C-alpha cells in the first residue's frame, strides 16, 4: 500500500480518489507523543479539518492534545476531558462553520500499530453520536502511523501508513 505522498512536511493520503492532507502542525503534535520510553503513556485527541473548496479533498489542519481529565495509561487512552470538544466548537464557531470533526488520533506503544477491539468499540460509539458518513482515525506507533477510514460498518479500511523514517528524511530535504 503506497498511497502516501510527503509534500512540504505535510502528508497526503489517497482514499477512494480523494486526497486527505494532514498538516505539518498535526504531525509535529503526533511526534511529541510517540511512545519511545518504557513507561511512556498513550496520548490522543480529536482531528479537525475542512473540505477543500476546489475538490472533495479533506485537509486535517488541527488536533487536540491530551488534557487534564483524559485517562492515560501505558496501553490505553480515554478522551474524557470536555475541552477537546470546546476546542473544536470554538474553531467551528469562529470560522463560519467550515471546520468539522474528522476523527481521532492516539498512540500505541508498538512499532507498527493496529487498532484494538477497544479502539473499534470507541470508533463505533463516536460514529453513532455524529451525523457523518465517514471518519478517519490515526494510530501513532514508534515506526509508523497507520490511518483507517471508518464508515459505521464492520468494515474498517486501512487507507495508508506513514513511515516516520521516510517522513524525517523528507523533512530534512525541505
Amino acid at each position: 500500500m503506497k498511497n502516501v505522498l510527503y509534500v512540504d512536511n505535510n502528508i497526503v493520503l489517497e482514499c477512494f480518489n480523494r486526497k486527505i492532507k494532514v498538516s505539518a502542525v498535526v504531525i509535529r503534535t503526533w511526534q511529541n507523543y510517540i511512545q519511545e520510553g518504557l513507561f511512556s503513556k498513550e496520548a490522543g485527541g480529536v482531528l479537525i479539518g475542512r473540505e477543500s473548496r476546489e475538490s472533495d479533498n479533506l485537509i486535517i489542519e488541527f488536533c487536540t492534545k491530551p488534557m487534564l481529565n483524559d485517562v492515560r495509561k501505558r496501553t490505553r487512552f480515554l478522551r474524557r476531558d470536555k475541552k477537546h470538544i470546546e476546542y473544536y466548537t470554538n474553531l467551528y464557531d469562529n470560522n463560519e462553520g467550515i471546520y468539522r470533526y474528522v476523527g481521532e488520533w492516539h498512540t500505541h506503544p508498538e512499532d507498527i500499530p493496529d487498532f484494538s477491539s477497544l479502539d473499534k468499540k470507541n470508533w463505533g460509539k463516536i460514529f453513532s453520536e455524529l451525523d457523518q458518513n465517514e471518519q478517519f482515525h490515526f494510530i501513532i506507533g514508534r515506526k509508523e502511523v497507520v490511518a483507517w477510514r471508518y464508515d459505521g460498518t464492520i468494515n474498517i479500511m486501512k487507507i495508508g501508513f506513514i513511515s516516520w523514517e521516510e517522513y524525517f528524511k523528507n523533512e530534512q530535504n525541505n
Side-chain angles (χ1 to χ4, degrees):
M1 179 182 301
K2 191 62 180 167
N3 61 342
V4 177
L5 299 171
Y6 301 91
V7 182
D8 298 328
N9 298 335
N10 301 297
I11 295 169
V12 180
L13 298 150
E14 288 192 33
C15 177
F16 296 128
N17 297 321
R18 178 183 194 195
K19 291 185 173 137
I20 301 161
K21 178 181 174 184
V22 182
S23 75
V25 172
V26 170
I27 297 162
R28 277 192 289 279
T29 299
W30 294 347
Q31 284 176 277
N32 290 332
Y33 291 98
I34 295 171
Q35 287 185 262
E36 299 282 4
L38 187 59
F39 300 106
S40 60
K41 297 177 181 178
E42 284 194 12
V46 300
L47 298 168
I48 302 160
R50 62 182 168 85
E51 306 289 330
S52 169
R53 291 182 184 182
E54 299 83 37
S55 65
D56 191 31
N57 295 337
L58 179 64
I59 304 163
I60 301 173
E61 292 183 82
F62 302 98
C63 69
T64 59
K65 301 174 186 178
M67 298 187 183
L68 185 63
N69 293 318
D70 293 332
V71 176
R72 296 183 66 195
K73 305 279 184 191
R74 175 77 177 145
T75 58
R76 178 172 287 176
F77 174 79
L78 298 172
R79 182 174 53 80
R80 300 291 174 153
D81 202 305
K82 295 187 184 320
K83 290 182 181 157
H84 292 277
I85 301 306
E86 289 173 19
Y87 179 85
Y88 161 73
T89 303
N90 286 334
L91 270 175
Y92 182 88
D93 291 344
N94 293 325
N95 292 280
E96 301 175 2
I98 65 167
Y99 288 105
R100 73 172 178 91
Y101 170 91
V102 172
E104 304 276 321
W105 73 274
H106 71 279
T107 62
H108 273 192
E110 54 191 342
D111 291 342
I112 301 168
D114 198 359
F115 63 87
S116 66
S117 59
L118 184 62
D119 294 331
K120 186 176 177 181
K121 181 179 174 184
N122 185 48
W123 296 347
K125 179 179 180 280
I126 293 166
F127 190 88
S128 69
E129 294 170 355
L130 300 173
D131 183 26
Q132 293 179 324
N133 59 358
E134 66 183 355
Q135 294 172 358
F136 296 94
H137 299 282
F138 291 75
I139 300 180
I140 291 67
R142 291 185 297 246
K143 291 187 178 181
E144 291 182 0
V145 174
V146 183
W148 288 275
R149 177 185 180 271
Y150 183 69
D151 66 1
T153 68
I154 59 170
N155 301 318
I156 299 174
M157 187 174 95
K158 183 177 180 180
I159 60 169
F161 64 90
I162 299 151
S163 160
W164 283 121
E165 183 178 355
E166 284 183 45
Y167 181 78
F168 294 138
K169 281 182 194 175
N170 182 69
E171 191 176 45
Q172 289 175 347
N173 293 332
N174 286 322

